[in-house]
């Protein structure tokens, strides 16, 4: 079949973490390998897991991963609306890559028309430029209490006349009820665009599943386009920490190269952002990364990493309430390493002056690094480079906090910092991005006073040479002489292998000819309508 022109498909899911992001990425890589010009699109993402694009905007990390799958650089047009929850009631809103303010449920509804226009215009432009656009939904299309203002699921599908496939995670149980119920709750216009289903994370004998697949098709008049098997290799770049195993271990730790394991504990902060910063550590043989929620889990840790946070002061309060803050202090006092990333780095400071996120004013930090942090309304977005522990490093910055005081003689973690990317400037509108300010001048970036160190840079562990030097230093500091760092772990290659694995699974287990027809021609006419939605 020839490449579709301007075709599109929406991948919806019965729940969050059903497999929408990875299926979208797999379809993008599969189409790109066929020579089809394909782009990802997520109209609206709600996530604190984001990246900075080369043009200085901010988008969901999943869309950056999907762009890589399509062979593209990340761009704000792939995710025009990003909501970053700072509490249970308010979210920072990022439009076209730039912060435009904060919203609660009421103010979000009042500004929805502007967001809808941005979404629909963005999708139309991508469809005009690419052969195919693979859209990812958000949450579930059957959240009927939110349907009137929906931008990312059936609202997008109806506006763009997009065919929709619904994916569901069978590993959670109840997959047939999820799929049937999702379809049945939709009204007639929405149901007419649901073309079929995909089942994700299946383990076992496919033959045992066949009667259910046939019955689902008989009941709904829609095919199951395929059943994707469970794969242990799919865990990088997860949209959120829901995909972490029940025991808290990240990924699938490989056996150590040497005689000892290195154990990393990461407090699972309530408003944790960019937990994917830990992926590169978890790719290393002999490194076991575990998310923890109570202090006893730090007792045998060699390294504690405080991750990023969308609400630094509130999450610092949580550390204190749970006893983890004191456990982190004891860990450092015993000479064992502690590392902070972005919000985690800010928590290590002597003081935090926050009149932006929490509006609490000045509060004490953990006091493990002799710096002061001040939050400013302008958000720093950039992709700098430099050197750390003697090795070249690159990363990306997404933060309101600045180091405004540091103790004399306190060394930076990153030296010879060069800012790359970003947009805006001093004097930009409140909340806008800026590449000005936020550096420590000649001091470099971050701080290190072993056994404690930290940086505002996300992605720093993805630098292979730096990661190896860092882990060797951690092992020495923690008294693990039997730990050996693998010489050949390449994180970028591991990510590419995962994207290729996704495409291989799509090719082997989905009816790709039927999906191409669906992309080219849209949802078939005359699909059956199910009650109760058929009467809505």
């Amino acid at each position: 079949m020839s490449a579709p022109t301007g075709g599109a498909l929406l991948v919806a899911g019965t729940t969050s973490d059903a497999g929408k992001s990875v299926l979208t990425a797999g379809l993008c890589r599969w189409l790109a390998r066929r020579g089809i010009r394909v782009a990802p699109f997520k109209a609206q993402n709600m996530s604190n897991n984001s990246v900075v694009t080369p043009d200085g905007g901010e988008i969901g990390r999943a869309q950056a991963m999907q762009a890589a799958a399509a062979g593209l650089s990340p761009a704000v047009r792939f995710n025009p609306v990003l909501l970053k929850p700072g509490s249970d009631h308010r979210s920072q809103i990022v439009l076209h890559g730039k912060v435009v303010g904060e919203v609660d449920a009421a103010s979000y509804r009042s500004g929805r028309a502007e967001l809808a226009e941005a979404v629909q215009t963005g999708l139309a432009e991508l469809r005009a430029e690419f052969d195919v656009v693979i859209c990812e939904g958000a949450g579930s299309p059957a959240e009927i209490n939110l349907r009137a203002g929906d931008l990312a699921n059936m609202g997008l599908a109806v506006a763009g006349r997009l065919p929709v496939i619904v994916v569901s995670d069978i590993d959670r149980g109840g997959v047939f009820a999820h799929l049937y119920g999702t379809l049945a709750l939709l009204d007639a216009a929405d149901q007419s665009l649901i073309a079929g289903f995909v089942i994700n994370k299946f383990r076992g004998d496919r033959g045992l599943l066949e009667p259910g697949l046939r019955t689902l098709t008989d009941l709904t008049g829609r095919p199951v386009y395929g059943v994707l098997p469970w794969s242990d290799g799919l865990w990088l770049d997860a949209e959120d920490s829901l995909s972490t195993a029940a025991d808290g271990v990240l990924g699938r730790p490989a056996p150590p190269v040497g005689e000892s394991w290195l154990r990393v504990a990461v407090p699972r902060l309530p408003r944790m952002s960019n937990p994917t910063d830990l992926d590169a550590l978890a790719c290393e043989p002999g490194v076991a990364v575990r998310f923890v929620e109570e202090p006893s889990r730090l007792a045998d840790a060699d390294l504690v990493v405080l991750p990023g946070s969308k609400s630094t002061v509130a999450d610092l309060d949580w550390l204190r309430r749970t006893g983890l803050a004191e456990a982190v202090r004891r860990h450092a006092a015993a000479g064992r390493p502690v590392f902070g990333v972005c919000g985690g780095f800010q928590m290590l400071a002597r003081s935090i002056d926050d009149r932006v996120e929490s509006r609490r004013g000045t509060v004490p930090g953990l006091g493990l690094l002799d710096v002061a942090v001040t939050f400013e309304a302008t958000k720093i977005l950039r992709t700098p480079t430099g050197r750390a522990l003697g090795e070249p490093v690159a990363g990306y910055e997404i933060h309101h906090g600045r180091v405004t005081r540091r103790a004399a003689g306190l060394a930076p973690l990153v030296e010879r910092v060069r800012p790359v990317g970003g947009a805006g400037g001093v004097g930009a509108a409140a909340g806008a991005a800026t590449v000005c300010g936020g550096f420590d001048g000649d001091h470099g970036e971050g701080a290190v006073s072993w056994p404690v160190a930290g940086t505002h840079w996300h992605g720093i562990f993805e630098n292979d040479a730096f990661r190896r030097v860092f882990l060797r230093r951690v092992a020495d500091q923690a008294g693990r002489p039997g730990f050996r760092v693998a010489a050949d772990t390449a994180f970028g290659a591991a990510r590419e292998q995962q994207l290729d694995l996704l495409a291989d699974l799509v090719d082997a287990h989905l009816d790709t000819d039927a999906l191409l027809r669906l992309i080219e021609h849209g949802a078939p006419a005359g699909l059956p309508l199910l009650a109760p939605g058929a009467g809505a």
Side-chain angles (χ1 to χ4, degrees):
M1 178 177 290
S2 61
T5 301
L9 175 71
L10 174 66
V11 179
T14 54
T15 61
S16 294
D17 204 38
K20 299 183 295 293
S21 295
V22 293
L23 179 54
T24 298
L27 289 168
C28 285
R29 177 56 63 98
W30 174 74
L31 289 165
R33 292 200 311 201
R34 293 173 61 97
I36 295 174
R37 295 179 305 120
V38 58
F41 184 76
K42 183 150 185 169
Q44 175 180 289
N45 197 351
M46 178 173 278
S47 175
N48 282 327
N49 202 11
S50 61
V51 301
V52 179
T53 63
D55 56 356
E58 185 179 2
I59 64 171
R61 186 172 179 112
Q63 282 60 70
M65 180 261 290
Q66 292 158 359
L72 304 170
S73 295
V76 297
R77 57 187 180 157
F78 302 144
N79 178 205
V81 180
L82 174 63
L83 301 177
K84 304 190 74 174
S87 70
D88 291 339
H89 303 289
R90 296 187 66 81
S91 294
Q92 187 179 75
I93 185 164
V94 180
L95 178 62
H96 295 310
K98 300 294 182 283
V99 177
V100 295
E102 283 195 346
V103 293
D104 55 19
S107 57
Y108 173 80
R109 285 193 295 270
S110 65
R112 205 160 45 209
E114 178 186 2
L115 302 182
E117 181 179 358
V119 163
Q120 292 166 20
T121 300
L123 178 57
E125 290 174 351
L126 288 176
R127 295 184 74 174
E129 181 178 346
F130 290 90
D131 298 328
V132 175
V133 180
I134 303 296
C135 305
E136 180 191 344
S140 163
E143 291 166 350
I144 52 180
N145 56 313
L146 304 176
R147 176 60 184 90
D150 174 53
L151 301 177
N153 291 304
M154 300 314 299
L156 181 69
V158 169
R161 299 303 301 168
L162 306 178
V164 180
I165 58 173
V166 181
V167 59
S168 189
D169 178 359
I170 195 171
D171 197 55
R172 295 186 174 195
V175 68
F176 295 115
H178 283 165
L179 290 169
Y180 184 93
T182 295
L183 176 63
L185 282 173
L186 303 178
D187 66 20
D190 290 354
Q191 285 195 33
S192 70
L193 297 173
I194 304 290
F197 312 109
V198 171
I199 290 177
N200 189 31
K201 297 183 184 177
F202 178 69
R203 320 187 206 206
D205 182 356
R206 168 70 185 263
L208 297 176
L209 195 61
E210 287 297 335
L213 303 181
R214 290 193 298 269
T215 300
L216 182 65
T217 296
D218 291 342
L219 289 171
T220 65
R222 291 159 173 84
V224 176
Y225 286 105
V227 178
L228 295 171
W230 175 276
S231 174
D232 286 339
L234 300 178
W235 59 273
L236 294 177
D237 291 307
E239 178 72 9
D240 53 44
S241 57
L242 287 174
S243 59
T244 305
D247 62 358
V249 175
L250 179 63
R252 305 290 181 268
V257 174
E259 300 173 355
S260 300
W261 285 83
L262 203 63
R263 295 161 295 189
V264 182
V266 183
R268 193 195 294 269
L269 305 174
R271 297 295 174 186
M272 180 167 56
S273 66
N274 287 52
T276 47
D277 285 330
L278 286 305
D279 287 359
L281 293 180
C283 278
E284 287 285 354
V287 178
V289 179
R290 184 190 300 271
F291 289 100
V292 303
E293 297 183 5
E294 46 88 17
S296 71
R297 293 289 192 158
L298 267 60
D300 62 351
D302 301 305
L303 166 67
V304 173
V305 177
L306 296 179
S309 168
K310 183 62 185 68
S311 299
T312 299
V313 171
D315 279 352
L316 182 55
D317 287 344
W318 178 83
L319 283 179
R320 289 184 167 116
R321 288 197 307 272
T322 59
L324 280 164
E326 186 56 36
V328 171
R329 285 197 191 93
R330 288 197 299 268
H331 183 91
R336 290 179 292 172
V338 175
F339 193 92
V341 180
C342 200
F345 168 47
Q346 294 163 1
M347 293 178 194
L348 296 174
R350 291 264 183 217
S351 66
I352 303 169
D353 186 0
D354 178 15
R355 303 171 196 276
V356 176
E357 286 184 351
S358 68
R359 300 176 176 86
R360 292 262 298 275
T362 301
V363 300
L366 295 177
L368 295 179
L369 288 173
D370 197 358
V371 300
V373 172
T374 301
F375 278 61
E376 296 183 13
T378 50
K379 179 189 278 192
I380 291 177
L381 298 174
R382 57 190 167 205
T383 54
T385 61
R387 296 187 69 82
L389 302 185
E391 301 294 340
V393 289
Y396 58 98
E397 295 184 64
I398 308 172
H399 55 96
H400 287 277
R402 276 82 158 162
V403 173
T404 50
R405 183 197 63 77
R406 65 167 58 234
L410 181 62
L413 179 69
V414 185
E415 301 172 326
R416 285 185 260 171
V417 175
R418 187 172 80 87
V420 180
V426 173
T434 177
V435 293
C436 302
F439 284 114
D440 294 334
D442 295 334
H443 295 293
E445 201 286 326
V448 56
S449 178
W450 287 105
V452 183
T455 176
H456 275 120
W457 289 21
H458 295 289
I460 194 165
F461 293 131
E462 296 179 19
N463 297 279
D464 296 334
F466 165 81
R467 187 178 64 251
R468 293 178 189 125
V469 172
F470 174 76
L471 288 174
R472 282 195 290 268
R473 184 165 295 191
V474 166
D476 291 344
Q477 190 81 38
R480 294 287 178 187
F483 176 79
R484 297 287 181 270
V485 179
D488 57 353
T489 303
F491 183 72
R495 177 177 283 145
E496 283 297 305
Q497 289 170 1
Q498 174 166 288
L499 294 174
D500 282 330
L501 173 58
L502 286 170
D504 292 342
L505 292 173
V506 166
D507 198 27
H509 297 281
L510 299 189
D511 187 344
T512 52
D513 287 340
L515 287 174
L516 281 175
R517 290 193 295 271
L518 186 63
I519 291 169
E520 188 169 18
H521 300 295
L527 291 169
L529 301 181
L530 277 60

